[in-house]
Amino acid sequence: MTTAAAIPPAVVIEKLRKTFGALVAVDGLDLTIGRGEVFGLLGPNGSGKTTTIRMLCGLITPTAGRATVVGFDTSTQSEIVRTKIGYMSQRYGLYDDLTVYENLRFYATVYGLRGNARTDRLEKHMTEIGLTSRRDQLAGTLSGGWKQRLALACATAHEPEMLFLDEPTAGVDPAARRAFWKSIYELSARGTTILVTTHYMDEAERCQRLAFLSRGHLIGLGTVQEILEQFHKPTIEDVFIELQARDEGAAA
Amino acid sequence: MSAFSFGVRMREWRFWPMLWKEFIQMRRDRITFAMILLLPAIQLALFGYAIQTDVRHLKTVVLDESRTPESRALVTVIANTGNFDVIAQVSNRDAIREGIESGEVTAALVIPPDYARDIVRGRTATAQMIVDAADPQSSAAAISGAQLAAQARSTQLLGERFRLVVPIEMRVRPWYNPSQRSATFIVPGVIGILLTITLTLITSTAIVRERERGTLEQLIVTPIGKASLMLGKLVPFVLVGYVQMTVVMVLGKLLFGIPIRGSLPLLYVLTVPFIVASLGVGLLISTVARSQAQAMQLSFFFMLPNILLSGYIFPRMAMPLPAQWIGLALPLTYFLKVLRGVLLKGIGIDQLWRPTASMTLIAVLLLVVSVRRFTKTIE
């Protein structure tokens, strides 16, 4: 417990709010994520998942409230935050006209890796994700699953303390998804905190803790077991459908 | 590793990976690469060879009803101006009409039967030059050429008749472009047009591509910083622009004999405000356009007034005032003065400070507005 007191939590969100004109995307969110957790953010489309992740990464500025990531304020210390986090969106952010190795090398260099340290790190990553044989292939010619692996490798080339994954497995086949989650657990085992949003319920069940968002509010929080008990449902999918129905009822 | 040492190290690696990446992409993107390499050549060929505002060698027929040494002397004088190529003699006016209507003939010289008689009797002899003036640009040379030829012939005849010395002779000296060739005027402008294309069209599409692909978002979450991101994106195109400029000057000298009378280092320095202004426009377009196609359309929309109103081809002095005012807002208008001033006239900053100052003012304004807008869009 003493170490927990010394090291700040991976994410602390306090009364976070974001509005786009009249639309309230995130409405007074409070949430704390511990170090090394694999944390899932769930909710129907438009519930505020992506907006929350984008605020934590410093892509957009909160309207009100504050958030810290690995102990640094996302608004006032965003430059430091950016050196400590990795981010992978469903669009992957790869350069189609660069090769596998060039993409990795580019992102590693942007994150400050140089010389032998960079070469060693890249070789290690290439081997880990099994892309060595495709080293000189253009990223645009990779299949969805391989693109996803490369994107993950690019987002983690600098070995970030915190990794944000925004619907990382959208449009990828089941085998690739399984391999992807294996990598996620490996990162987690090394101490990386992971925040992931997803639509796939089997993926939600792989997370250690879950948060359900609905219309910008936090409406459920806990381990998979706790959530099931809270909502008296046999599976997470049932919880999700129940919440979505409640959402639509509230909207009507 | 402390935050401080990280900050110091950041400075070293901020900008170079962007540059490295940008050049690899430029080389791989065939269309962009072709545009960068071929555009100077195509523009030179198009604008250097094709655009000839000085119309010469009009196809001319002659209807000589006088058939005398005097009338034949007039035909020779007209032909010697170089503006008219006598391609045939015709025997009636219907043939002239047919020729002009079919487009085979652009001008016709009609010498009436009493032409020689009038000259001998000391009366004013008349001859007629019929010109297809549907295109005023090409007929202007014919009209003035015919008038000049008649005057020259009149003076000659007067001198012979009265043994007089011509009282006034105007000796025109066309400075800077003595042979009056369009290419000399146009080719320096090609540099300005090329830089505008590279720095607005290619740059704005390159930025919009990053936004479309989601890589811009990915870059923003890295510690690269907004300034390095922008510089890394813009500097490669500045280098490309300078290379294109050099290529056009070398080709212009070899192919068209364009003079380089002034200081080249000065020209390269005075190009900076123009480059900054054009990049500002490119950046601005990238913040407005939602797709690469839109960026391209907006760039072409911007190119049009540049080609028409800057004085690149058409003289600004001939334009109505509102068109001249629009031209004053275009950086190219001032850059053309700098280009022609340095290359053709060999003048220096003491004579070019006015266009340079105007250009710099526009550049600063555009840069401030576009950087502010761009910074907002990546937040």
Side-chain angles (χ1 to χ4, degrees):
Chain A
M1 283 314 282
T2 46
T3 48
I7 302 171
V11 174
V12 179
I13 299 174
E14 286 167 2
K15 299 188 173 55
L16 198 65
R17 181 178 164 89
K18 181 69 189 178
T19 56
F20 299 102
L23 179 84
V24 183
V26 175
D27 194 3
L29 189 66
D30 288 292
L31 193 63
T32 303
I33 301 172
R35 294 271 175 160
E37 270 194 277
V38 177
F39 193 95
L41 205 52
L42 274 73
N45 285 327
S47 59
K49 303 185 301 272
T50 298
T51 308
T52 304
I53 277 207
R54 290 170 67 90
M55 279 192 280
L56 292 177
C57 293
L59 277 166
I60 49 177
T61 326
T63 313
R66 64 188 288 269
T68 62
V69 171
V70 295
F72 298 97
D73 191 289
T74 54
S75 300
T76 58
Q77 295 170 302
S78 62
E79 276 191 40
I80 305 173
V81 171
R82 281 173 191 171
T83 63
K84 311 252 178 217
I85 62 168
Y87 169 74
M88 180 183 154
S89 74
Q90 57 192 75
R91 291 201 288 174
Y92 295 159
L94 297 174
Y95 290 97
D96 284 350
D97 43 2
L98 296 189
T99 65
V100 167
Y101 187 76
E102 284 165 348
N103 265 291
L104 258 175
R105 192 192 125 119
F106 172 66
Y107 281 113
T109 318
V110 163
Y111 279 105
L113 288 164
R114 281 290 151 92
N116 289 336
R118 179 178 64 194
T119 316
D120 295 346
R121 181 80 61 86
L122 293 187
E123 289 308 327
K124 195 182 118 207
H125 265 74
M126 298 282 291
T127 319
E128 268 178 17
I129 53 174
L131 275 166
T132 313
S133 60
R134 294 168 194 267
R135 179 192 169 99
D136 295 321
Q137 195 176 331
L138 289 183
T141 63
L142 292 174
S143 72
W146 284 110
K147 268 189 191 165
Q148 184 200 42
R149 283 193 192 195
L150 177 58
L152 183 66
C154 287
T156 55
H158 56 303
E159 301 191 339
E161 294 176 41
M162 171 91 214
L163 181 60
F164 293 98
L165 303 166
D166 189 13
E167 296 190 19
T169 55
V172 167
D173 65 65
R177 267 168 62 197
R178 181 168 296 171
F180 184 78
W181 274 93
K182 196 169 155 266
S183 312
I184 297 295
Y185 282 130
E186 279 165 15
L187 285 167
S188 171
R190 277 184 237 148
T192 312
T193 312
I194 289 150
L195 177 61
V196 56
T197 69
T198 181
H199 271 320
Y200 296 107
M201 292 309 127
D202 59 318
E203 284 189 358
E205 286 168 9
R206 291 172 189 264
C207 297
Q208 289 152 3
R209 276 207 307 155
L210 295 173
F212 269 97
L213 287 187
S214 168
R215 298 149 64 79
H217 293 276
L218 182 71
I219 52 165
L221 177 70
T223 62
V224 174
Q225 206 51 46
E226 283 164 357
I227 296 272
L228 295 179
E229 280 163 20
Q230 182 189 338
F231 290 92
H232 308 290
K233 294 286 175 196
T235 66
I236 288 293
E237 187 160 2
D238 291 311
V239 178
F240 193 91
I241 290 166
E242 156 99 14
L243 285 174
Q244 197 158 14
R246 213 191 275 178
D247 241 29
E248 281 157 11
Chain B
M1 188 191 311
S2 74
F4 174 73
S5 72
F6 220 103
V8 170
R9 276 188 48 196
M10 265 167 70
R11 255 164 252 292
E12 302 163 20
W13 45 261
R14 264 177 182 178
F15 160 81
W16 293 107
M18 281 295 287
L19 216 64
W20 171 81
K21 177 214 88 172
E22 211 62 46
F23 277 117
I24 292 184
Q25 287 188 298
M26 228 183 259
R27 205 184 64 216
R28 298 239 168 96
D29 182 356
R30 279 193 196 157
I31 293 174
T32 304
F33 195 60
M35 266 178 101
I36 286 168
L37 276 188
L38 293 178
L39 220 54
I42 293 171
Q43 290 270 322
L44 260 186
L46 262 178
F47 292 109
Y49 284 118
I51 296 186
Q52 300 286 343
T53 48
D54 44 343
V55 180
R56 280 160 186 265
H57 305 291
L58 298 173
K59 284 178 185 159
T60 310
V61 292
V62 173
L63 171 56
D64 186 356
E65 293 169 325
S66 171
R67 294 172 192 280
T68 54
E70 278 81 5
S71 67
R72 280 189 286 277
L74 181 65
V75 174
T76 312
V77 170
I78 292 281
N80 283 348
T81 60
N83 287 2
F84 305 93
D85 284 352
V86 177
I87 53 166
Q89 299 278 338
V90 293
S91 53
N92 58 56
R93 284 183 176 256
D94 289 341
I96 293 174
R97 177 165 291 279
E98 272 170 36
I100 288 182
E101 281 175 356
S102 70
E104 281 160 29
V105 172
T106 1
L109 176 63
V110 182
I111 306 172
D114 45 4
Y115 174 80
R117 209 183 315 146
D118 283 344
I119 290 178
V120 173
R121 287 183 187 164
R123 288 209 298 242
T124 305
T126 53
Q128 199 178 29
M129 177 66 80
I130 298 168
V131 179
D132 173 3
D135 175 359
Q137 279 223 22
S138 49
S139 56
I143 293 163
S144 64
Q147 283 164 347
L148 282 174
Q151 270 173 29
R153 180 69 186 140
S154 298
T155 336
Q156 208 180 340
L157 285 171
L158 280 174
E160 280 171 16
R161 191 177 301 165
F162 302 109
R163 302 184 183 285
L164 287 176
V165 175
V166 181
I168 300 173
E169 188 193 341
M170 182 68 82
R171 292 189 178 168
V172 179
R173 290 273 179 281
W175 277 15
Y176 307 129
N177 188 1
S179 48
Q180 297 272 285
R181 290 182 316 130
S182 298
T184 308
F185 178 70
I186 297 284
V187 169
V190 169
I191 295 172
I193 291 289
L194 262 179
L195 288 182
T196 311
I197 293 177
T198 305
L199 299 173
T200 58
L201 194 149
I202 301 186
T203 308
S204 64
T205 48
I207 297 173
V208 172
R209 189 183 310 142
E210 292 243 3
R211 187 172 292 127
E212 270 184 340
R213 300 284 316 145
T215 48
L216 190 62
E217 188 181 86
Q218 193 70 43
L219 281 178
I220 297 164
V221 298
T222 70
I224 194 164
K226 281 166 196 153
S228 304
L229 200 163
M230 252 185 281
L231 278 178
K233 207 64 205 166
L234 300 182
V235 166
F237 296 100
V238 174
L239 297 178
V240 168
Y242 269 120
V243 170
Q244 287 180 321
M245 178 171 165
T246 311
V247 167
V248 170
M249 279 196 285
V250 170
L251 288 178
K253 189 154 184 63
L254 294 179
L255 299 178
F256 300 99
I258 305 302
I260 301 176
R261 296 206 173 91
S263 149
L264 274 184
L266 176 74
L267 183 61
Y268 280 97
V269 171
L270 293 188
T271 305
V272 171
F274 180 69
I275 285 180
V276 172
S278 306
L279 283 177
V281 174
L283 205 57
L284 206 59
I285 289 175
S286 80
T287 63
V288 179
R290 297 201 171 270
S291 64
Q292 288 185 66
Q294 272 187 9
M296 219 168 272
Q297 284 172 348
L298 282 169
S299 301
F300 276 120
F301 185 72
F302 175 71
M303 287 301 298
L304 219 61
N306 270 296
I307 291 174
L308 297 176
L309 302 180
S310 64
Y312 171 46
I313 299 170
F314 309 110
R316 277 170 37 76
M317 279 179 290
M319 293 172 198
L321 274 179
Q324 289 196 25
W325 293 332
I326 297 174
L328 285 180
L330 301 171
L332 184 61
T333 305
Y334 306 99
F335 188 49
L336 285 176
K337 284 186 187 157
V338 170
L339 278 168
R340 286 172 185 151
V342 173
L343 291 177
L344 306 184
K345 298 185 187 174
I347 53 179
I349 186 71
D350 40 335
Q351 280 110 327
L352 288 170
W353 69 269
R354 260 172 193 281
T356 307
S358 310
M359 208 158 61
T360 310
L361 186 73
I362 296 177
V364 169
L365 273 175
L366 276 169
L367 197 71
V368 168
V369 172
S370 61
V371 166
R372 192 171 289 174
R373 266 202 69 114
F374 183 76
T375 315
K376 248 181 207 163
T377 61
I378 61 173
E379 255 168 16

